[in-house]
Amino acid sequence: ALVLLAGAGLMIRSLMALSRTDPGFQPRGILTFSLAVPPSQAISTDDGTRAYLREVDHQIKSVPGVRAVSLSGAAIPLTGNDDEQLFWLSSEPKPANANDMHWSLLYIVEPDYLQTMRIPLLRGRWFTDADRQDTPHVVVIDEDLAHQFFGNTDPIGKVINLTNPDNVQATVVGVVGHVMQWGLDNDAGFPLRAQSYTSFLQLSKDSLASTSGFATDIVIRADNPDTVFPDIQSALRRMNAQQVAYGPETMDQFIAESLAARRFSMLLLGAFAALAL
């Protein structure tokens, strides 16, 4: 009984410590969901696609209680959804093949993403509406990538060659804090931790949409993320009855799911300890 009680106590303490772990952003108040848009004349051109995406943002922001919104492509922290960026530094010769390139987690976002997620900006700047397809490409990196590839050198102003989703040369304009992509309990154990952010506004139309339309994830910050989704669906249906918003989940739910296995083990061990006692 003593051994079981000690084990249960240690697991409870471990779970409580994990629940207080800083994931690198403020999860409370965040809702994520997906949006699928069918092909139409409205998204048949570069300007049309971007105007459509701006209207999506406008419609969601008009919902009472929504504080910030951003499209979010590729990776979303803690959700298990991820994509990778292949790159090499401008000071290096172009690698012969993809296996010789550097890797980072890729986040494709909008200017309001920083406000939505509340990730700390450590140096430089974030994306703005002035970063468009017809302006020089920029990239924001996290502190892990900055330390790994630039050491003690200031990475602001350095140029890196990106391969995904468009092959471009991009200037580093900002450094943000690292966010936990792989979960509160095992993020530090994953070999791929470096992170890079590119702007939706600078993508080509081929990267934004295709003949089958386009799909994207969306993250919002709201006063009541558990109840606001039906109002968002209604707003998006008024804009276009054929587009579909689906799969809502709060960031608190993602965190709870990532700790579910530990919580189950704690309850099981606690039950045996109580029976033994």
Side-chain angles (χ1 to χ4, degrees):
L2 181 63
V3 171
L4 288 170
L5 286 170
L10 289 172
M11 291 204 70
I12 292 171
R13 188 174 67 174
S14 175
L15 193 63
M16 290 179 64
L18 280 175
S19 67
R20 294 192 295 266
T21 299
D22 180 11
F25 61 97
Q26 294 185 19
R28 186 169 300 278
I30 295 177
L31 174 72
T32 73
F33 60 93
S34 299
L35 179 70
V37 180
S40 67
Q41 189 64 31
I43 60 172
S44 61
T45 64
D46 282 11
D47 291 340
T49 301
R50 289 181 176 80
Y52 193 97
L53 295 178
R54 287 195 296 271
E55 183 61 20
V56 167
D57 286 348
H58 175 73
Q59 291 296 329
I60 296 175
K61 286 178 181 177
S62 69
V63 174
V66 174
R67 300 302 177 189
V69 58
S70 171
L71 303 182
S72 180
I76 298 180
L78 297 181
T79 64
N81 299 327
D82 71 281
D83 203 350
E84 288 77 39
Q85 173 77 269
L86 294 173
F87 69 94
W88 70 96
L89 306 181
S90 60
S91 58
E92 302 171 330
K94 182 177 180 179
N97 55 65
N99 292 331
D100 297 327
M101 294 183 184
H102 307 304
W103 291 70
S104 74
L105 288 164
L106 170 64
Y107 302 82
I108 307 173
V109 297
E110 291 187 295
D112 278 353
Y113 185 81
L114 201 69
Q115 178 185 356
T116 303
M117 301 295 287
R118 296 183 181 174
I119 300 170
L121 179 64
L122 305 180
R123 196 179 305 163
R125 69 171 179 88
W126 185 249
F127 303 121
T128 70
D129 290 333
D131 298 315
R132 304 183 305 272
Q133 187 186 13
D134 58 352
T135 62
H137 283 261
V138 295
V139 62
V140 174
I141 62 177
D142 83 320
E143 55 189 327
D144 277 38
L145 192 151
H147 177 73
Q148 182 177 350
F149 294 100
F150 296 100
N152 296 324
T153 304
D154 186 357
I156 304 300
K158 297 292 193 295
V159 176
I160 59 178
N161 299 275
L162 308 178
T163 63
N164 187 18
D166 298 319
N167 290 292
V168 297
Q169 282 191 325
T171 301
V172 178
V173 294
V175 178
V176 296
H178 176 78
V179 300
M180 291 189 175
Q181 175 64 32
W182 309 110
L184 297 178
D185 57 344
N186 57 3
D187 185 81
F190 272 78
L192 180 58
R193 287 172 45 85
Q195 299 166 341
S196 61
Y197 298 80
T198 59
S199 175
F200 258 108
L201 300 178
Q202 292 199 305
L203 298 186
S204 66
K205 178 185 175 298
D206 290 340
S207 298
L208 290 171
S210 66
T211 55
S212 59
F214 69 83
T216 181
D217 292 319
I218 297 176
V219 294
I220 70 162
R221 179 167 291 278
D223 295 335
N224 298 295
D226 296 307
T227 60
V228 74
F229 186 65
D231 293 334
I232 293 175
Q233 284 182 303
S234 298
L236 292 173
R237 279 196 297 266
R238 288 193 297 270
M239 174 187 168
N240 180 355
Q242 293 184 312
Q243 66 183 356
V244 179
Y246 61 96
E249 195 159 9
T250 66
M251 196 57 68
D252 285 338
Q253 289 174 305
F254 283 122
I255 291 176
E257 290 169 4
S258 71
L259 299 177
R262 284 178 176 267
R263 186 175 292 107
F264 175 77
S265 298
M266 180 197 70
L267 292 173
L268 189 64
L269 188 58
F272 280 122
L275 287 172
L277 181 63

